[in-house]
Amino acid sequence: MKTLKDLEIDGKRVFIRCDFNVPKDEFGNITDDRRIRSALQTIRYCIDRDCKIILASHYERPEPGKYEERFSLVPVAKRLHSLLKIKRDIFMADDVVGPDAQEKAAKLEAGDVLLLENLRYEAGETSNDKIFAKKLADFADIYVNDAFGACHRKHASIHAITQFFDLEHKAAGFLMGKEVNFFSKVLENPVRPFVAVVGGSKVSGKLQALTNLITKVDKVIIGGGMAFTFLKAHGHEVGNSLVEDDLLEEANNIILKAKKLGVKFYLPVDVVAAQEFSENTTVKFLPIQEIPIGWMGLDIGPASTRLFREALNDAQTIIWNGPMGVYEMDRYSKGSMAMSNNIAQTHATTIVGGGDTADVVQRAGDVDEMTFISTGGGASLKLIEGAVLPGLEALEN
Ligand code: AMP
C-alpha cells in the first residue's frame, strides 16, 4: 500500500482525513483518545516537513446543516493540541468548507495545523457529493487518508475527494498502513487455536463477518445482544431481549456451518436480566432457560464468563469485536470487563476491533496487555469479511 512516505510533500498543503470520532462521557469529556493519538505519527510527519496541514473528521451523526455544540470537534482540537505537544496553536474552523475555514486555510503557514468542523454538518459528506468533495479537495495539494475507522464508507472525504488527486498526490497515512497490515497478517496466517469473540447489539451488523470468520477460526464466542438471536434460533425463550426475528434462520445456518467445519461455537449460558433498559431497576442473574417473559438480558452472567474463559484458555490468536453487554451502564458492564481481563491474561496475540470494545478495554485497564487495538470497528469488520475498503480502493485509482 502506498503511504505518505512515498509522496513528495515538503512544504505542500496536505489534507488529512482522520477519524476523530472518539467516545465521550455524559459531561462531554473524551473518555478514550486513542483515535487522536493514533493520528499523531502522520500529523507530526507533515509538521516536520513544513506542510500546511488541514485535518478533517466526522463526529457521530449530527443532522446536516444543524451546528449543535455536542457534535463539534472543538474538544478534539484541544486534546490534539496537548497530545502534539507543540507551542503554536491548532486553528479550529467554525465551519467545514465555509468562509471561516477558507479564511483560516488561506492564512496557514509552514507547520500550521487547521482542523475543519465536523464533516457531517454538511449533507454532502455522507451522500458522497462531488461538489462538496471538490470544495474539500481545493484546500490542498496532497490528500492523505488516515481514517481507517471510516474508510469502509463511501463518503465524500473518503471516496469522492480522491478523484481530484492523481496517484502522485494521494496516499494512505501511517495509521491506515498499520491497521491494514495487521489484520491481513493475522487473518491470512493465524497461530492456532484462533478464537473470535463477537458481541455488540445486533447480528445484522456482523453477519457477513461472522460467516467469513467461521471459515478461518477454531472457536467462536458470541455475547452481547446478538447472542439472543442465536439463542432464540436454538429454541430458547429470551423474553424482551434484543432479537432479530428475520435472522433466526441465518443464525441457525451459521451454527450449522460451524458444526460442519468443526468450529466450536459458544453462546452465553446465563444472563443479567432486567425488566427495563435501565440501571435503576431490579436485576436478576438467571440461566438462559429461565428468562421470564417481559425481561431482557443486558449482560452475560458469571457462568458464561467462566465458560468463555475456559474456551479462551488455549487460544494463540484472539480477535475481539463487540461488548458482552450494555457496558455503558455499570450494572451491565461486568461481563465485558471480565472478558477484557480474561483476554488480556491469555498468552495469545490479541486484536481488539471497534470503538466500543476499545472503550471497554480502556475502562478495564487492559490497553497495555492487548497486542493491537484497532481504531476502526466497521472497517476492521470489513477486512475480516474479506471485503475491499472503498477508501483504500479509491487511493489506488
Ligand atoms: P455494536 O455497535 O453492534 O458493536 O454494539 C455495541 C452496543 O451493543 C453497545 O452500545 C452495547 O450497549 C450494546 N449491547 C450489548 N449487549 C446488549 C444487550 N444484551 N442488549 C442490548 N444492547 C446490547
Side-chain angles (χ1 to χ4, degrees), residues 200-202 206 224-225 228 242 277 297-298 322-323 325-328 356:
S201 53
K202 292 180 174 176
K206 293 176 186 168
F228 297 102
L242 198 62
F277 191 83
L298 296 174
V326 184
Y327 78 97
E328 297 93 334
D356 284 332

